[in-house]
Amino acid sequence: MHFELTEEQLMIRQAARDFAQTELKPGVIERDEHQKFPAEQVKKLGELGFLGMMVSPQYGGSGMDAVSYVLVMEELSKIDASASVVVSVNNSLVCYGLEKYGTEAQKEKYLVPLAKGEKIGAFCLSEPEAGSDATSQKTTAIDMGDHYLLNGTKNWITNGGNASTYLVIAQTDAAKKHNGINALIVEKGMEGFTIGPKENKLGIRGSDTHSLMFTDVKVPKENRIAEDGFGFKFAMQTLEGGRIGIAAQALGIASGAYELALQYSKERKAFGKAISDLQAIQFKLADMATEIEAARLLCLKAAWQKDHGLPYGQASSMAKLYASDVAMRTTVEAVQIHGGYGFVKEYHVERLMRDAKITQIYEGTSEIQKIVISREVLK
Ligand code: CAA
């Protein structure tokens, strides 16, 4: 077993850490408060190659491995989870699926600008009545010969307003159930495609979450990904990698909160000494550090399995299940260590606590991860 990172992975982690400190930290409180999408920061992340970091250079990506992706996601998420979710969705749910299953023409037209960060993408699976129960798609894509006629509504779509390219999952043949579902590439601006208002959220408030409405949108046949009826499996496959990204986001939220609490505990005086000298605080820090390390190892293990061509669905679900719980516990304790200061925005930990919650919900709730894991262990 080798636990050390390569020189290249260390450099990438340092680059992400520097970016988070210099580009994400200034303004993060205001962006959260005003629900402002980090547009400039996302543009710069694209210029650095982070938006298509695992895509082959042949298609405009940076050709990095999934371990580097975990490192980058952790560092960015320590500071700004609203920015890091853009990196996660664009890489894992949009670029990955296009690179793995797209035609050469689809890759040239859609993947290259997404991988270069010139455009961003969105993954549209959830619906008002199909969240965890993802096979219950009500959005329809009726086969009209040379095109599909798309009708329906998608909910909770990350990058919903700022994306240019949308991968939309829809039911073509209801009789075939999940084998009658397709994944279609939809462009912003197609006639009949409208974007609802931005959601006013508890956390990741800078992230751009919208409902999308499709009314008789004509999607050319050549925009279907892979063979007819592959849409549901396409969604499940992409989510396996997406869950590594969200697990690493949860890890970053936890480690960001822990680092702030550790530092604060050394500075804050009570009962005549630093609160880090009190065992009540020391035990909290010990639990946080241990759980974060365990979450990090689960994330890196899932990424390593992906990099080595091994199955990684169970590993990514385990990483997400555990890391998201660690994010919740750690951020709550980080606020507690900060006392009253933790309850105000200037100290960052209350935002991290609010941001942590979504990691137990999106890309499959914790309960869904338990379904995936238990099915594997019972096989
Ligand atoms: N890879 C490939 N195929 C898979 C698969 C996988 N990981 N998981 C399931 N499948 C296949 C099954 O083999 C089955 O195919 P066959 O009938 O040919 O064997 C088919 O898909 C249906 O699978 P199930 O019978 O397991 O279906 P199910 O109804 O029991 O649902 C589920 C399975 C795991 C619960 C699934 O519905 C699920 O993952 N739900 C959660 C959805 C989710 O994660 N949504 C997140 C939204 S995206 C988001 O949040 C993005 C964002 O913006 C941040």
Side-chain angles (χ1 to χ4, degrees):
M1 294 188 81
H2 302 286
F3 283 106
E4 65 274 9
L5 298 170
T6 64
E7 281 299 313
E8 195 189 355
Q9 288 163 343
L10 289 168
M11 273 170 51
I12 292 162
R13 183 173 70 179
Q14 192 58 48
R17 193 172 283 174
D18 293 344
F19 183 87
Q21 285 299 325
T22 56
E23 303 287 344
L24 295 181
K25 198 167 181 187
V28 65
I29 293 171
E30 290 72 24
R31 290 196 298 276
D32 170 75
E33 176 123 18
H34 301 296
Q35 303 192 76
K36 188 169 180 286
F37 182 73
E40 276 168 47
Q41 292 76 6
V42 167
K43 188 166 174 286
K44 288 182 183 163
L45 284 165
E47 287 159 7
L48 282 172
F50 285 148
L51 290 184
M53 58 181 293
M54 290 176 289
V55 175
S56 152
Q58 186 192 346
Y59 298 113
S62 310
M64 297 180 207
D65 58 8
V67 165
S68 301
Y69 174 54
V70 166
L71 301 174
V72 167
M73 281 301 296
E74 179 179 355
E75 292 305 324
L76 301 179
S77 307
K78 282 179 184 177
I79 307 293
D80 189 352
S82 294
S84 74
V85 70
V86 182
V87 174
S88 185
V89 167
N90 205 66
N91 271 291
S92 312
L93 296 186
V94 184
C95 288
Y96 170 83
L98 283 171
E99 186 169 23
K100 176 126 195 223
Y101 298 106
T103 61
E104 278 307 311
Q106 289 169 347
K107 290 181 197 178
E108 281 308 318
K109 186 169 178 191
Y110 298 108
L111 176 59
V112 171
L114 288 164
K116 287 183 175 168
E118 293 163 358
K119 291 185 173 173
I120 58 172
F123 178 81
C124 313
L125 173 66
S126 301
E127 297 187 351
E129 291 172 63
S132 292
D133 185 8
T135 57
S136 298
Q137 294 288 308
K138 296 279 186 295
T139 298
T140 53
I142 303 304
D143 189 339
M144 305 296 282
D146 64 342
H147 67 273
Y148 288 97
L149 203 59
L150 186 65
N151 278 287
T153 301
K154 293 290 172 182
N155 258 26
W156 320 119
I157 304 304
T158 304
N159 300 339
N162 280 274
S164 303
T165 306
Y166 300 75
L167 306 188
V168 180
I169 311 298
Q171 188 84 49
T172 295
D173 186 346
K176 292 187 183 162
K177 301 187 174 165
H178 63 260
N179 290 317
I181 291 175
N182 277 313
L184 306 177
I185 307 169
V186 176
E187 293 176 27
K188 181 182 258 164
M190 281 183 167
E191 208 180 325
F193 173 18
T194 49
I195 300 170
K198 183 168 172 160
E199 301 288 352
N200 185 358
K201 307 190 298 287
L202 170 76
I204 57 162
R205 286 168 57 77
S207 143
D208 187 30
T209 313
H210 293 256
S211 293
L212 308 176
M213 279 74 75
F214 304 97
T215 310
D216 290 338
V217 179
K218 283 186 181 172
V219 184
K221 256 301 173 47
E222 64 260 27
N223 281 25
R224 187 188 73 217
I225 301 175
E227 71 267 18
D228 185 30
F230 188 68
F232 187 71
K233 286 177 186 165
F234 170 83
M236 292 296 109
Q237 283 286 294
T238 38
L239 279 165
E240 284 189 357
R243 288 167 184 164
I244 299 177
I246 300 305
Q249 180 187 50
L251 166 67
I253 293 170
S255 54
Y258 162 73
E259 286 173 12
L260 290 169
L262 180 66
Q263 187 186 333
Y264 181 83
S265 73
K266 293 178 188 166
E267 290 161 4
R268 174 71 179 175
K269 301 271 188 305
F271 307 104
K273 51 188 168 186
I275 61 169
S276 59
D277 287 335
L278 302 171
Q279 201 174 52
I281 302 297
Q282 291 168 350
F283 281 12
K284 285 188 197 297
L285 293 170
D287 284 340
M288 290 158 114
T290 306
E291 291 191 356
I292 287 168
E293 187 64 10
R296 186 176 289 121
L297 290 174
L298 281 173
C299 290
L300 290 170
K301 173 89 180 335
W304 181 89
Q305 286 179 212
K306 183 166 185 276
D307 286 337
H308 284 76
L310 299 167
Y312 55 92
Q314 182 186 8
S316 69
S317 285
M318 283 180 168
K320 182 177 181 293
L321 173 66
Y322 187 72
S324 59
D325 284 352
V326 170
M328 274 318 295
R329 280 197 293 273
T330 306
T331 53
V332 168
E333 288 294 52
V335 171
Q336 190 71 14
I337 290 173
H338 280 76
Y341 293 100
F343 209 62
V344 296
K345 294 193 184 289
E346 286 73 14
Y347 285 77
H348 295 281
V349 283
E350 66 79 37
R351 183 186 73 258
L352 292 166
M353 188 181 92
R354 288 185 284 104
D355 287 351
K357 186 59 203 169
I358 192 62
T359 65
Q360 294 178 317
I361 298 173
Y362 62 14
E363 299 206 21
T365 61
S366 295
E367 292 74 14
I368 290 295
Q369 308 313 323
K370 289 182 192 181
I371 291 177
V372 174
I373 297 162
S374 59
R375 282 180 180 177
E376 284 294 323
V377 300
L378 289 166
K379 249 182 192 171

